Amino acid sequence: MLNNEYMTIAEASKKWGLSQRQVQHLCTLGSVDGAVKFGRAWMIPMNAKKPVDGRTKQARSKYDANMPLPRKTPFLYMTDLYHTPGTADKVGESLAYNHEAQVLFEAEVAYSRGEIDKVYDIANYLLHKHSGFYAVLSAGMLLAMCAVWKGDINMWRKAKVHIAEAPAKNDDDRDVMQLAISAVDIMIYNVESFPEWFKKGRFEPIHKDAYPAAKVYYAKYLYALGYAVAMGLVKVDGTQGLYIMSVISFSVEPMISWARANNTIMAEIYLRLTCAAIYHNCGNDEDAIYHIDKAIKLALPDKFYGVLAEYCRALDTLMERQLSLIDEDAWKEVKKLYKIYNEGWSKLSGAVRGKKILTTLSDKEREVAKLAAFGMGNQEIADHLHLSLSVVKQAVRIVSEKSGLPRSEFAAIL
């Protein structure tokens, strides 16, 4: 016994009829009121109540209406709840004491695996059962993610309405809501809806539990901004072409180290893949491959094929090259998912922007078209991709024929 007021993990385990591992995990999640950690030991108040098992009907009816999540963020899977590759399902099981958190976490894991129909069902379940604020935000975002995969603009709009109608109680909630809507827009490279404080990389308006996700979306914002500037779609005084994108990696690399130090595996995967896309577009495939390989190593234990498929478009042939070397069967699954994602993303992005995104281009043709849209000349593209000048000219001609547009307008089809 520690003293007359506290008990040990072992004593709580015996008192509550749980394993010591379960008690320790519940303390880590903040589910045991008053539990305090000193070194490696937990001090649990003698009068602390056993956390309710959220799997029971009684618990769900009691807590579903407004049960706080274990982290104050709509992005549970990007927090330190999930900190070891290969344990996603176990983390989901460990959240049984909080039904809403468990369902939400399982939906986010399902999305990472490309199980979109399951995500759709869970998102609608959360949106129609009067969930708490963060759960509604996340469910709305999950619905928007489903819309991307399905190419459904009505679902996309509906998702944004759900986010806007989340039960915000104060200005802090509204700041998170604004970030959630922006995170939806960045899925199709729209950088305009982010609030000014976020564009500066200032995250104080949101709870620290949301910082891992904020860093992911900030990296995506920087990448999308660099992409838009290179395409000539956004004007930034004093710069053009790939200059902005070429320096973004200096901001993203420290975020990766931060994610590693804070054991936020999912945030690290997204940050590495975003950084790889930045390096790839700037012609630095050596560093791109370094981050791709690291991300693959983190993603494969839990079969996060959906996340890998999501980045195939930005990484052109690099994802196929590296993943097929590491796990050929995994690449086959990612390839199937990428086909679905690419068609859905192209359909939705085209509908939102009022343009037709081509899905008939080969990876090489799209890569050449992208560099042409960046303003590179044929010889520059050939040097960048290590191709012959004749191959580049032929690719430009084919893209122009397929799209019916001159190279100066290739940005409209990508």
Side-chain angles (χ1 to χ4, degrees):
M1 182 75 66
L2 292 170
N3 56 42
N4 292 330
E5 298 180 355
Y6 292 94
M7 56 183 169
T8 65
I9 289 286
E11 290 168 336
S13 169
K14 183 177 180 180
K15 180 178 180 180
W16 293 340
L18 300 173
S19 70
Q20 292 187 33
R21 183 177 180 180
Q22 285 176 304
V23 175
Q24 186 170 9
H25 190 67
L26 289 169
C27 288
T28 302
L29 294 175
S31 305
V32 181
D33 291 339
V36 181
K37 190 175 186 181
F38 286 90
R40 295 185 177 181
W42 282 96
M43 296 176 63
I44 303 172
M46 285 295 297
N47 61 354
K49 294 182 179 180
K50 174 183 176 180
V52 177
D53 187 340
R55 293 171 293 184
T56 65
K57 183 176 181 180
Q58 180 182 6
R60 287 198 295 269
S61 63
K62 180 179 179 180
Y63 287 98
D64 276 356
N66 191 29
M67 186 174 185
L69 297 179
R71 298 291 184 273
K72 293 183 178 180
T73 172
F75 316 96
L76 284 185
Y77 70 145
M78 289 192 191
T79 67
D80 59 354
L81 289 174
Y82 172 60
H83 53 74
T84 305
T87 65
D89 291 330
K90 290 183 179 179
V91 174
E93 292 170 3
S94 74
L95 293 170
Y97 71 93
N98 185 321
H99 178 67
E100 186 171 88
Q102 184 177 44
V103 170
L104 177 55
F105 183 84
E106 289 176 349
E108 292 172 335
V109 168
Y111 176 79
S112 300
R113 291 172 173 164
E115 299 169 352
I116 304 306
D117 289 337
K118 180 178 180 179
V119 178
Y120 177 79
D121 290 340
I122 295 177
N124 279 296
Y125 166 73
L126 289 169
L127 290 169
H128 289 95
K129 77 174 199 62
H130 307 294
S131 301
F133 173 70
Y134 289 112
V136 170
L137 287 190
S138 186
M141 291 185 64
L142 288 168
L143 191 64
M145 293 174 179
C146 291
V148 173
W149 282 74
K150 294 177 180 293
D152 189 332
I153 191 170
N154 290 324
M155 187 188 300
W156 168 271
R157 290 168 176 164
K158 180 180 178 183
K160 296 181 77 170
V161 170
H162 280 301
I163 293 173
E165 293 179 345
K169 297 178 181 179
N170 49 50
D171 288 340
D172 291 340
D173 285 354
R174 282 180 278 276
D175 283 329
V176 176
M177 182 187 297
Q178 190 176 17
L179 175 58
I181 291 176
S182 301
V184 168
D185 286 341
I186 202 64
M187 296 175 193
I188 56 170
Y189 294 176
N190 179 359
V191 299
E192 297 178 0
S193 64
F194 281 104
E196 289 304 315
W197 54 266
F198 185 84
K199 292 179 180 179
K200 297 174 182 177
R202 186 180 299 156
F203 303 148
E204 285 94 335
I206 59 179
H207 194 277
K208 64 180 182 180
D209 289 345
Y211 281 10
K215 289 177 182 292
V216 167
Y217 286 107
Y218 187 62
K220 288 189 174 187
Y221 162 73
L222 292 176
Y223 169 70
L225 178 62
Y227 189 91
V229 170
M231 288 282 186
L233 303 174
V234 172
K235 303 295 183 182
V236 175
D237 292 341
T239 186
Q240 59 182 357
L242 286 168
Y243 174 74
I244 286 184
M245 190 175 292
S246 68
V247 299
I248 290 174
S249 61
F250 295 108
S251 295
V252 180
E253 288 279 11
M255 296 183 201
I256 296 172
S257 297
W258 182 93
R260 289 192 65 197
N262 286 274
N263 294 318
T264 51
I265 298 298
M266 187 55 65
E268 183 181 345
I269 292 172
Y270 273 108
L271 286 168
R272 287 192 182 278
L273 292 175
T274 302
C275 197
I278 293 166
Y279 281 129
H280 173 58
N281 278 320
C282 294
N284 183 355
D285 281 353
E286 181 178 353
D287 283 335
I289 289 172
Y290 170 82
H291 285 298
I292 292 171
D293 287 348
K294 291 285 188 179
I296 288 174
K297 184 177 181 180
L298 294 173
L300 287 187
D302 278 306
K303 297 184 178 181
F304 288 155
Y305 300 150
V307 175
L308 299 178
E310 185 180 329
Y311 276 83
C312 284
R313 183 180 180 86
L315 293 169
D316 299 307
T317 59
L318 285 188
M319 180 65 77
E320 175 183 3
R321 184 193 311 173
Q322 297 310 116
L323 186 52
S324 60
L325 289 173
I326 297 171
D327 190 328
E328 182 66 32
D329 290 334
W331 165 243
K332 290 178 181 177
E333 295 302 315
V334 170
K335 186 177 182 179
K336 293 176 185 176
L337 291 173
Y338 172 54
K339 181 179 180 181
I340 297 171
Y341 176 83
N342 187 44
E343 291 178 356
W345 183 91
S346 298
K347 182 178 179 181
L348 177 65
S349 182
V352 172
R353 292 191 281 170
K355 298 175 181 178
K356 184 177 181 179
I357 310 299
L358 275 188
T359 59
T360 57
L361 299 179
S362 68
D363 289 340
K364 187 59 64 180
E365 288 164 357
R366 184 158 46 79
E367 194 170 9
V368 169
K370 178 173 63 178
L371 296 179
F374 284 165
M376 291 187 182
N378 288 345
Q379 186 61 60
E380 193 175 3
I381 294 173
D383 295 339
H384 191 90
L385 299 178
H386 306 291
L387 299 173
S388 68
L389 182 59
S390 61
V391 169
V392 171
K393 288 181 177 179
Q394 182 182 28
V396 171
R397 177 179 57 78
I398 291 174
V399 173
S400 185
E401 289 176 352
K402 287 183 177 180
S403 65
L405 296 172
R407 68 185 294 153
S408 60
E409 297 181 29
F410 280 179
I413 61 170
L414 298 173

